Amino acid sequence: MAALRSILYGRFVQALPFCFGSQRFTSSFKAADLNIERNTACKPRPDPSTLVFGKQFSDHMLTINWSEKGGWEAPQIMPFQNLSLHPASSALHYSIELFEGMKAFRGVDNHIRLFRPMLNMERMHRSAERSCLPLFDKGELLECIRKLVEVDQEWVPYSQNASLYIRPTFIGIEPSLGVSRPGKAMIFVIVGPVGPYFATGSFNPVSLLADPSFVRAWKGGVGAYKMGGNYGPTIAVQNEAVQRGCQQVLWLHGEQEEITEVGTMNLFIYWTNEKGEKELVTPPLDGIILPGVTRQSLLDLARSWDEFKVTERTMNMKELLEALDAGRVLEVFGAGTACVVCPVGSLLYKEKTHQIPTMQNGPDLAKRFHKELTDIQYGRKQSDWAPLVA
């Protein structure tokens, strides 16, 4: 177990410059205190080939309660069930809540692996601090999650085209309508088997709407934190994209129309820059961009290969369109836990559709990234990025 803990702490995601202090941290729950109540009425598990994203859930869940008066209670794994919340709970009224997205994979050797899970714990901890929710020991929470996956390990699909999605969630449950930091809170974790995130499949190109009248995040806001309030308001824009014949949104920011994210994914552009160099570009972690685990992994892989320039910098629409017109853009793709890598095929901007030659170029780099990550996740390639659960 000590060796596993050492691996899980791994490499730290780039720290964000903004911090509210850890005045809410006194002590943490302990995984050693975990209580397990087994479900006596387990459900049949679905055929992996029929899975869609986020519709089915396992037999158990993890809950951990906190109060300002009593501190953290012992973690509990219990049968999957509805939550009982006071109607005035702060999460319901003021969005004092956050979440994470992780996966567990059944490998070719039948072992179950997580993927860089401590990066999720680091990000969740930062989001909790920004939300004025109580802090916790990241390693202890990860060990509780590992135990939940172990309990529900038969829900990890026997397939290399599917996985077990893990959704840690943290909500304020203070029963008060006052706008203040909550005196009661709950962490809960639910898991369920998933197939491809996009209806187009696991590696088919998506089309994007880029409309500068819609903004996802801004400087000084909370775009760098994984809060539900960053996602709900985007649904109307997503619907607008669909009505205009696109599948996802390319989010722009500011008068210069800086390119930020694509849908719920981080964005990468692989091109030949103006100096004639092959270069992989992604927007920097400047407070607007969510520090994705897949984003960090692609950057780490690309830098380890040392075959082309890797740059984190701002880029605007004018620069991208000029590069497209000059034939310098090779591939554009999104990256995230749900989809891994998703190629982009076209872009609708100011009523004009711009074709992006991602698929005409293989897409060699996007496919290489996808293979490298999935080889690690499914145990085809050994890596300390993928610690064993069982």
Side-chain angles (χ1 to χ4, degrees):
M1 186 56 66
L4 175 61
R5 289 278 178 88
S6 175
I7 290 171
L8 294 181
Y9 273 93
R11 178 176 173 178
F12 184 77
V13 152
Q14 179 178 342
L16 297 173
F18 194 69
C19 181
F20 279 83
S22 55
Q23 69 272 18
R24 301 277 280 173
F25 182 73
T26 53
S27 62
S28 181
F29 52 84
K30 303 294 183 183
D33 298 329
L34 181 65
N35 297 313
I36 300 177
E37 178 189 352
R38 297 275 180 173
N39 195 331
T40 59
C42 293
K43 300 169 290 189
R45 288 170 289 279
D47 182 338
S49 66
T50 66
L51 291 171
V52 292
F53 187 87
K55 298 291 188 181
Q56 294 169 298
F57 301 96
S58 71
D59 293 315
H60 298 88
M61 63 191 294
L62 169 70
T63 64
I64 316 171
N65 286 288
W66 175 89
S67 69
E68 198 153 34
K69 182 177 180 180
W72 285 105
E73 298 178 8
Q76 297 185 66
I77 290 175
M78 62 180 68
F80 190 94
Q81 58 194 266
N82 292 337
L83 299 176
S84 178
L85 297 177
H86 191 284
S89 291
S90 48
L92 303 178
H93 296 269
Y94 306 123
S95 297
I96 301 178
E97 63 81 47
L98 58 97
F99 68 96
E100 271 300 323
M102 310 163 60
K103 284 181 177 179
F105 306 86
R106 188 176 297 277
V108 293
D109 54 2
N110 203 35
H111 285 299
I112 296 169
R113 293 171 173 83
L114 301 175
F115 182 73
R116 306 192 81 176
M118 187 49 72
L119 299 188
N120 295 96
M121 296 297 97
E122 297 285 0
R123 186 171 65 186
M124 186 172 179
H125 197 267
R126 291 195 300 271
S127 296
E129 192 170 25
R130 183 63 176 85
S131 302
C132 281
L133 286 165
L135 302 186
F136 53 88
D137 186 287
K138 299 177 284 289
E140 297 293 339
L141 177 55
L142 183 51
E143 176 58 18
C144 291
I145 292 172
R146 189 201 68 79
K147 189 63 180 178
L148 175 63
V149 175
E150 185 180 80
V151 168
D152 272 342
Q153 62 183 277
E154 285 304 309
W155 281 88
V156 184
Y158 286 81
S159 169
Q160 291 174 50
N161 296 310
S163 57
L164 185 78
Y165 188 76
I166 305 168
R167 173 53 64 90
T169 310
F170 199 177
I171 61 175
I173 56 173
E174 174 75 18
S176 169
L177 296 181
V179 183
S180 61
R181 65 186 190 185
K184 292 184 177 180
M186 174 195 292
I187 291 175
F188 66 91
V189 184
I190 54 178
V191 303
V194 296
Y197 184 73
F198 294 116
T200 56
S202 61
F203 209 76
N204 291 314
V206 296
S207 54
L208 305 181
L209 169 66
D211 187 332
S213 65
F214 301 115
V215 179
R216 188 197 78 91
W218 50 91
K219 298 288 178 67
V222 294
Y225 304 93
K226 204 163 178 67
M227 302 171 176
N230 287 333
Y231 293 78
T234 70
I235 296 172
V237 188
Q238 169 67 25
N239 290 341
E240 174 71 14
V242 171
Q243 291 173 13
R244 292 163 70 175
C246 301
Q247 293 159 308
Q248 288 291 317
V249 179
L250 177 62
W251 297 102
L252 306 178
H253 174 262
E255 294 182 359
Q256 298 301 314
E257 298 182 353
E258 293 176 10
I259 295 168
T260 62
E261 295 190 0
V262 51
T264 59
M265 302 177 287
N266 293 121
L267 179 71
F268 286 84
I269 298 171
Y270 183 53
W271 66 354
T272 303
N273 65 25
E274 291 181 326
K275 295 180 180 179
E277 304 166 312
K278 292 290 191 298
E279 182 180 31
L280 180 68
V281 181
T282 193
L285 301 182
D286 58 0
I288 294 177
I289 304 299
L290 185 74
V293 174
T294 308
R295 174 191 183 276
Q296 186 63 48
S297 300
L298 299 194
L299 290 172
D300 289 345
L301 284 174
R303 286 169 175 149
S304 72
W305 295 338
D306 195 26
E307 297 173 11
F308 45 81
K309 189 174 182 180
V310 180
T311 307
E312 298 174 69
R313 69 169 180 85
T314 57
M315 174 187 289
N316 59 38
M317 276 298 296
K318 181 175 181 290
E319 189 176 1
L320 174 59
L321 295 179
E322 287 176 351
L324 280 171
D325 289 342
R328 293 191 288 108
V329 175
L330 301 173
E331 302 178 31
V332 177
F333 49 88
T337 296
C339 67
V340 187
V341 177
C342 178
V344 174
S346 64
L347 172 64
L348 176 60
Y349 173 69
K350 294 186 177 179
E351 306 307 320
K352 180 180 178 181
T353 298
H354 301 264
Q355 298 300 321
I356 299 174
T358 304
M359 302 309 289
Q360 292 91 314
N361 287 306
D364 294 341
L365 183 58
K367 284 183 176 178
R368 183 180 179 186
F369 277 138
H370 186 272
K371 183 179 187 304
E372 189 78 16
L373 289 190
T374 54
D375 279 353
I376 292 171
Q377 291 165 345
Y378 289 99
R380 294 186 291 266
K381 179 177 181 179
Q382 295 303 307
S383 171
D384 60 7
W385 286 3
L388 292 176
V389 173

